[in-house]
Amino acid sequence: MSTRGPEGAAPPVPQGTSAGTAGERPPRRSFPGRRLVWYWLLPVAVVCWELATRSAQAAYFPPPSLIVARLHELWFSGPVTRAFLTDEAVADLLPSLGRLFAGWAAACAAGVAIGVALGRSRWLSALVEPLLHFGRSVPPTTLVPVFLVLFKIGTPMQLASIVYGVVWPVLINSMDGARTVDRQYIETGAVYRLDPWQRLTRIILPGASPKIFAGLRLSVSLALIMMIISELVGSSEGIGHRMLEAQSQFDIPAMWAGIVLLGLLGIVLNAAFLGFERTMLSWHRGARS
């Protein structure tokens, strides 16, 4: 970051962070065949899983070929015009994703706003922080019955469960990031007479963004977990409800298909967020290189 004035993008980079600094650790060399090993590891694991389950013939552990076939039949055997989504996918998958993104977005907005405010105010942080540690120590699943009483079965109850389970890592990381912004950056803003909004958007948020994004990344998987928990308890639709229905009907392949689908969703959401994070924090990596 440079000191070109209020029009400049960000505060200066502390000394000792430029490329070629004495004592800088050399970049680690990755094993050339590591990717190739991973490419072979997954198919081998699937084949071993297939052979083991077929030889064991356990009712509760169907072979992966049967799970994939059931997954395709339930959710991805629809028409091409609907992206291969079946009626069950439209009725279950889309509402689940809608609640997941809505709850995650609300929790992230609230967590970043409250966390930055607490991180920049010592007296407010000292007043509220004990309550924060109390709140985040309460497992979100224990409050699902409370949300059922308050909101009844439906989307509001599920959104409340997702928001409560997701907000804590975002809030704590945002508070820590805002609290540890380099004082040189704040002093630079004072020299250029930046108003409070400019200090927030040009200094505090950029300075705290690495830790904020660390909390946001943790919150993605938590949102997926809380979405399923809320649907298992109080929903008439969604992936969790479909898995509970499969369990009650002793449809074990369908239950495992739901588990595999959740794992695939987790991989896709994590990859998408990593791409977004790399784009948003490209300036941070450039400042450290």
Side-chain angles (χ1 to χ4, degrees):
M1 295 185 246
S2 64
T3 56
R4 290 175 293 177
E7 293 76 17
V13 180
Q15 294 181 356
T17 58
S18 58
T21 303
E24 183 180 356
R25 293 182 179 181
R28 292 185 300 176
R29 295 181 179 180
S30 60
F31 178 62
R34 186 169 61 179
R35 289 188 177 183
L36 184 61
V37 170
W38 281 109
Y39 289 153
W40 280 101
L41 185 60
L42 182 59
V44 169
V46 172
V47 170
C48 293
W49 181 11
E50 179 81 22
L51 295 176
T53 51
R54 286 192 178 276
S55 62
Q57 294 184 352
Y60 294 100
F61 296 96
S65 58
L66 183 58
I67 295 173
V68 171
R70 195 76 174 100
L71 176 67
H72 176 264
E73 178 187 354
L74 281 175
W75 286 300
F76 301 106
S77 58
V80 180
T81 55
R82 209 162 55 186
F84 299 103
L85 296 178
T86 62
D87 294 335
E88 289 81 3
V90 174
D92 294 326
L93 186 59
L94 297 184
S96 291
L97 291 178
R99 286 188 289 263
L100 184 148
F101 287 120
W104 180 76
C108 292
V112 171
I114 298 173
V116 170
L118 293 177
R120 299 309 303 171
S121 175
R122 290 186 178 180
W123 69 269
L124 187 60
S125 175
L127 180 66
V128 178
E129 196 165 353
L131 296 177
L132 295 182
H133 292 299
F134 174 83
R136 76 187 185 111
S137 300
V138 177
T141 53
T142 60
L143 292 182
V144 171
V146 177
F147 295 141
L148 272 172
V149 173
L150 294 176
F151 302 105
K152 308 299 180 183
I153 292 179
T155 299
M157 171 266 171
Q158 295 158 2
L159 289 177
S161 301
I162 295 172
V163 170
Y164 184 84
V166 169
V167 72
W168 302 111
V170 181
L171 195 157
I172 298 299
N173 278 273
S174 299
M175 182 171 65
D176 189 44
R179 182 182 292 165
T180 55
V181 173
D182 197 322
R183 189 172 182 83
Q184 290 183 359
Y185 298 171
I186 306 298
E187 293 173 351
T188 300
V191 169
Y192 288 110
R193 298 181 181 179
L194 300 182
D195 58 45
W197 176 253
Q198 291 175 323
R199 284 200 302 270
L200 175 66
T201 56
R202 298 187 180 185
I203 297 178
I204 296 174
L205 287 180
S209 58
K211 290 191 176 182
I212 291 176
F213 272 89
L216 293 178
R217 185 179 179 186
L218 288 174
S219 68
V220 173
S221 59
L222 288 176
L224 187 61
I225 293 171
M226 290 308 302
M227 177 198 75
I228 293 301
I229 291 175
S230 65
E231 291 179 349
L232 287 172
V233 176
S235 177
S236 58
E237 60 181 6
I239 302 173
H241 173 73
R242 183 65 61 183
M243 292 174 61
L244 189 63
E245 190 178 65
Q247 179 187 1
S248 64
Q249 297 175 357
F250 208 70
D251 189 354
I252 304 302
M255 187 178 69
W256 276 97
I259 295 173
V260 172
L261 179 62
L262 291 175
L264 294 175
L265 281 176
I267 293 174
V268 171
L269 292 175
N270 184 69
F273 185 82
L274 283 178
F276 176 71
E277 182 182 15
R278 290 192 189 99
T279 301
M280 297 301 295
L281 295 183
S282 58
W283 64 267
H284 179 67
R285 293 195 304 275
R288 297 180 59 184
S289 61

